[in-house]
Amino acid sequence: MPWQRETFKKIKQIPREEHVLPGTSLCAGCGGLEALRLAAKVLGDDVVYVNAAGCFTMLAAYPFTPFKGSWLYTTMGSAPAGAQGVRDALDVLIAKGRLPQRDDLKVVVLGGDGSTYDMALSSTSGAIYRGLDFYYFCYDNEAYGNTGVQLSAATPYGARTTTSPCSLQHPAGTIQEKKDIFEIWRAHKPPYIATVAPRYPLDLAEKFARAATFTGPKLFLALSACPTGWLYDPGETPEVAKLAVETGLWPLKEAINGAVTHTYLPKRKPVEEYLKLQGRFRHLFEPTKQEEAIRHIQERVDAYWQRVTV
Amino acid sequence: MAGEMMTGNLAAAWGARLAGVDYIPAFPITPQTEIVEALAEWCDCGAMPARFVMMDSEHSMMTAAGAGAATGARVFTATSSQGLLHAFEVLYSVAGWRVPLVLVNVSRALAAPITLEPDHNDVLAARDAGFLQIHAETCQEVLDSILMAYRIAEDERVMLPVLVNLDGFYLSFTREPVIVPDPEKVAAFLPPFRPAHLGFKASAPHALGVAVLGGTPYTYFRHQMHLAAMNALQVHREAAADFERLFGRRYDVVEGYRLDDAEDVLVMSNAFATKGRAAVDAARAKGRRVGLLRLRVIRPWPAEAIVAALRGRRAVGVLDQNLAPGLGGILVQEIAATLYHDPERPKAICSFIGGLGGKNIHEGEFDAIVARMEQAGKAGRGEGPVLLYTEAEHREMAQLQVLASASRADR
Ligand SMILES: Cc1ncc(C[n+]2csc(CCOP(=O)(O)OP(=O)(O)O)c2C)c(N)n1
Ligand code: SF4
């Protein structure tokens, strides 16, 4: 039976109220911000965002904040530990009667892929291991964005970053495969993990609604189509974000207590359609087409879907 | 009044227990472990109504501690050496958040080479993080300083974290009689933690630790931290007076020993100051007018108290249990800078470095220090840095080197 949405079936059901207000200093067309905006419609305002260094750190820049909820900037490597401290303190203060239950907050880590896949991995692992009741929202722009688009462990094979240039030695650019953070999380056995993309708002909202029913660590990996780092026109973010899913490169899925369900089965357009829109992959097409590299990417996607749909 | 025999570590744990802390994120490191073990036990058996959480590293531990305090809980944690350095990035964050938690550091020298025994390069590396620092000489002082630390940290005029330092092994594992203060009196000394400006809650959303653009707001906030740290001198005076009234023990930012008529003064800190006092007594018995100044609070830097204690002396000798390679001692620099503007500054400042990696300072070495101070004072010219290292130690090291090279030849 195909995956059923229960709470959000029609676009009209998505709350109109905004919880991330406009006027931030992030780039125009930031797909990660759009994903966060949609997520916040379900999370609401009774939230404390615990942030790791990255693009989103600039969301709260003195004296402005786009949030109606709270914010704590920690470090690049320890936002999940910050979430631990906030959650524990809220629990203790409520238990001791020093804070009324109605003042309780959802604790949400907000980190980029560099932090999530690399530096904060040990602190994340610790938080999941301890069964911390929190949301982890990772906006994945597949690079260290804020420092000028360097290679991160989330950068996909074939992408060019400022520290994985396409050169004579590495004509394809990045030669490593993207780290499978979804599976790393799943191995820790948290109750809820999901991938989301900004062009699939019902899927995204539904997943946040479902996650709310679980106590414990809840991960959201949000595709963050990034005009600045991926080198395309900001107006094309919706198209790029859509093609990531439609080509099968960004599978939409969730894992409830470890059991994985794909929440959307794309018809799977050729990966080329996604790649050729973006400057970070231009070297795969110009001056000569790197057929082998493109085939490699396609084969990896095919193998993935073969494995999960059989 | 006779106290219970307890280690410095247990005294530290008692400090946290009596302070009624709410939250203890922890990570083990020798020689601090006994502190967190005791607290884990007490939280588990219900003797302490606090949440104890084993974290995945000191970096995480310090972040959780800061975040817990920022949420409005009274927070305690402890570390040492490599652990303090691992938490380093977060020390600055936590101080910038202006959260009044207490961190105990059990001093231990830093790798490499790796060792377990103490000196002060760990804690002094943290002296510019925005934490206030209290350095204890005895197990009793460890406990008492933790209570004073919360009182000072949580004062509206301060709102900064405090680090309480004790020496690994020399205090952490030495049993001394410690009087455990009466909880009711502690309650009178340390009011409940109800921070007016801290706490994440639905009804009062706010942002903390945010980015600033440009140097203007940055400078402003950093300067506010500096002013708050300086306020701690006055708050310390008040806390010390109340503490003395309630418990009969007095702690000042610096502590003088036989200073009244002293010509030359030895400056020390932490547990080795006890050896320093004995050395002063021995020198006095030989007719030398020597005294000792112990630095108890190192941040905020108690400049006035130091000048008052050292003004007009013939010579000052600073015994640093740390080494800044390429410079020498750390504290002697701060002392010299503090005295420079005083028209009656001592004629000579000598710099001695000893006790590295827990190395003992022998009686004979203290005799030499006293003699060199006298000489320098007469000549009107200081000396140093002088590394304290005896002939016997030279011989011991030479033997180790022979063994090391012999085992290489064996291969
Ligand atoms: C300990 C530490 N090292 C390096 C940095 C510099 N830094 C700031 S943001 C950033 C990039 C973060 O990348 P990512 O997590 O992917 O988030 P993005 O910038 O893409 O939003 C880096 C490396 C830092 N803030 N802290
Ligand atoms: S660099 Fe990319 S991820 Fe970062 S704010 Fe700009 S568009 Fe968003």
Side-chain angles (χ1 to χ4, degrees):
Chain A
M1 202 175 72
W3 189 71
Q4 290 287 324
R5 288 196 296 265
E6 284 154 11
T7 312
F8 294 99
K9 293 187 174 155
K10 292 195 218 102
I11 203 83
K12 278 192 170 164
Q13 289 171 314
I14 292 185
R16 293 184 74 104
E17 196 188 338
E18 298 292 342
H19 301 265
V20 182
L21 303 175
T24 75
S25 55
L26 299 200
C27 310
C30 176
L33 183 59
E34 179 61 8
L36 177 65
R37 181 183 150 256
L38 291 167
K41 283 172 176 283
V42 185
L43 288 168
D45 285 333
D46 292 348
V47 165
V48 50
Y49 290 102
V50 184
N51 174 241
C55 292
F56 280 20
T57 300
M58 292 314 294
L59 283 174
Y62 188 82
F64 302 111
T65 167
F67 300 108
K68 291 186 245 166
S70 286
W71 173 268
L72 175 66
Y73 169 73
T74 53
T75 68
M76 191 168 163
S78 65
Q84 180 86 39
V86 174
R87 182 69 266 158
D88 285 338
L90 286 170
D91 288 349
V92 168
L93 294 176
I94 290 169
K96 291 187 174 181
R98 277 158 49 197
L99 195 69
Q101 184 67 47
R102 63 172 183 283
D103 259 333
D104 196 13
L105 296 169
K106 294 191 187 85
V107 183
V108 181
V109 165
L110 203 52
D113 51 280
S115 164
T116 303
Y117 288 60
D118 289 334
M119 201 192 279
L121 189 50
S122 98
S123 113
T124 304
S125 175
I128 312 171
Y129 159 76
R130 292 184 297 267
L132 181 67
D133 186 24
F134 77 126
Y135 294 79
Y136 193 129
F137 183 96
C138 166
Y139 58 100
D140 188 350
N141 61 10
E142 306 193 319
Y144 290 111
N146 192 45
T147 35
V149 195
Q150 293 84 20
L151 177 80
S152 89
T155 304
Y157 176 90
R160 177 165 60 91
T161 73
T162 54
T163 52
S164 55
C166 42
S167 60
L168 278 179
Q169 282 170 39
H170 302 299
T174 302
I175 53 170
Q176 296 91 334
E177 301 290 345
K178 188 176 168 106
K179 208 188 259 186
D180 194 346
I181 199 75
F182 189 93
E183 288 300 316
I184 292 172
W185 262 73
R186 200 159 74 94
H188 285 73
K189 302 187 171 51
Y192 193 85
I193 320 173
T195 62
V196 294
R199 262 311 291 270
Y200 299 79
L202 286 172
D203 179 87
L204 185 152
E206 175 69 22
K207 286 171 175 170
F208 272 90
R210 283 173 179 238
T213 61
F214 295 95
T215 304
K218 299 171 272 279
L219 172 69
F220 286 85
L221 287 172
L223 175 79
S224 177
C226 167
T228 312
W230 299 3
L231 303 170
Y232 62 80
D233 186 87
E236 288 169 9
T237 290
E239 188 59 12
V240 170
K242 186 165 185 200
L243 278 171
V245 175
E246 296 300 335
T247 54
L249 272 163
W250 187 268
L252 294 177
K253 57 185 173 179
E254 79 181 2
I256 293 182
N257 294 320
V260 181
T261 312
H262 284 77
T263 62
Y264 175 71
L265 297 179
K267 301 235 163 46
R268 292 217 286 117
K269 299 185 171 170
V271 293
E272 243 187 270
E273 288 193 29
Y274 171 72
L275 303 177
K276 71 184 181 206
L277 280 184
Q278 302 170 50
R280 64 173 173 158
F281 295 113
R282 184 150 307 138
H283 55 283
L284 299 181
F285 301 93
E286 291 170 13
T288 47
K289 198 167 176 187
Q290 299 192 40
E291 300 280 4
E292 201 176 320
I294 298 171
R295 194 178 323 121
H296 174 80
I297 298 169
Q298 186 66 59
E299 279 169 7
R300 297 265 316 170
V301 180
D302 294 345
Y304 174 85
W305 286 98
Q306 197 143 37
R307 200 167 64 242
V308 299
T309 46
V310 165
Chain B
M1 196 162 50
E4 285 173 44
M5 291 298 282
M6 68 170 77
T7 60
N9 276 346
L10 197 61
W14 267 105
R17 177 167 166 172
L18 288 166
V21 301
D22 300 304
Y23 183 42
I24 307 160
F27 195 84
I29 180 167
T30 304
Q32 156 268 31
T33 35
E34 190 189 0
I35 302 176
V36 294
E37 284 166 1
L39 293 170
E41 173 90 33
W42 289 336
C43 292
D44 192 58
C45 74
M48 261 182 94
R51 180 175 287 201
F52 180 95
V53 178
M54 272 304 287
M55 297 299 293
D56 41 275
S57 74
E58 290 87 351
H59 192 274
S60 287
M61 173 192 95
M62 209 56 236
T63 307
T71 309
R74 187 176 274 166
V75 180
F76 176 85
T77 190
T79 189
S80 172
S81 187
Q82 307 291 122
L84 186 68
L85 262 59
H86 194 50
F88 219 76
E89 182 189 24
V90 188
L91 298 180
Y92 282 76
S93 303
V94 165
W97 298 345
R98 304 291 303 273
V99 293
L101 55 82
V102 173
L103 166 70
V104 162
N105 183 65
V106 187
S107 262
R108 167 180 148 190
L110 297 168
I114 183 85
T115 183
L116 296 175
E117 287 169 79
D119 62 39
H120 302 146
N121 267 106
D122 60 350
V123 60
L124 291 181
R127 75 196 191 281
D128 302 327
F131 273 62
L132 311 181
Q133 288 198 4
I134 300 176
H135 291 231
E137 183 182 344
T138 64
C139 296
Q140 182 72 59
E141 190 182 345
V142 170
L143 193 163
D144 294 349
S145 295
I146 291 170
L147 300 178
M148 283 188 59
Y150 279 107
R151 168 80 184 257
I152 296 162
E154 292 171 4
D155 192 286
E156 286 270 315
R157 293 163 285 176
V158 180
M159 292 300 280
L160 282 170
V162 181
L163 185 156
V164 176
N165 195 70
L166 64 133
D167 282 307
F169 293 80
Y170 287 92
L171 282 194
S172 67
F173 300 134
T174 297
R175 271 168 220 281
E176 290 178 350
V178 174
I179 297 163
V180 177
D182 171 32
E184 271 171 36
K185 281 196 197 166
V186 172
F189 174 73
L190 182 63
F193 185 42
R194 299 287 184 271
H197 309 293
L198 280 178
F200 293 113
K201 51 184 156 222
S203 57
H206 69 279
L208 188 63
V210 295
V212 289
L213 296 171
T216 304
Y218 186 80
T219 305
Y220 176 81
F221 288 121
R222 293 290 289 179
H223 189 239
Q224 289 301 313
M225 279 170 70
H226 170 66
L227 295 178
M230 296 310 289
N231 285 346
L233 289 169
Q234 172 60 25
V235 177
H236 189 287
R237 256 191 295 278
E238 295 165 14
D242 279 356
F243 197 92
E244 185 179 25
R245 187 171 48 75
L246 281 158
F247 304 104
R249 294 183 292 278
R250 177 156 189 103
Y251 297 102
D252 289 312
V253 286
V254 298
E255 200 174 78
Y257 183 67
R258 301 187 82 165
L259 279 185
D260 284 350
D261 63 338
E263 286 182 302
D264 302 333
V265 178
L266 180 59
V267 179
M268 294 184 70
S269 69
N270 291 278
F272 271 31
T274 305
K275 292 176 191 287
R277 285 171 209 266
V280 165
D281 288 343
R284 286 265 175 183
K286 289 179 204 151
R288 292 192 141 124
R289 279 160 55 192
V290 191
L292 181 132
L293 182 73
R294 178 171 71 97
L295 304 175
R296 182 172 170 276
V297 172
I298 285 183
R299 286 292 181 273
W301 182 248
E304 257 177 53
I306 290 169
V307 171
L310 300 181
R311 167 177 293 154
R313 309 291 175 180
R314 186 171 61 182
V316 166
V318 182
L319 209 170
D320 269 294
Q321 268 173 271
N322 60 74
L323 178 64
L327 175 68
I330 293 172
L331 293 178
V332 70
Q333 306 301 328
E334 303 207 338
I335 298 276
T338 303
L339 294 173
Y340 185 81
H341 295 290
D342 196 76
E344 293 173 60
R345 64 175 178 263
K347 293 190 185 61
I349 297 181
C350 304
S351 164
F352 302 98
I353 294 182
L356 300 184
K359 197 173 79 62
N360 198 10
I361 302 174
H362 305 274
E363 255 170 66
E365 288 174 286
F366 277 111
D367 290 346
I369 288 171
V370 170
R372 292 176 96 139
M373 277 201 294
E374 183 179 322
Q375 238 171 23
K378 282 183 183 154
R381 189 187 165 83
E383 67 164 331
V386 175
L387 177 69
L388 303 176
Y389 211 69
T390 62
E391 291 249 344
E393 285 158 354
H394 271 295
R395 279 198 300 277
E396 185 188 332
M397 192 61 218
Q399 277 173 0
L400 295 176
Q401 284 173 317
V402 168
L403 287 175
S405 54
S407 58
R408 191 173 58 201
D410 279 349
R411 259 189 243 143

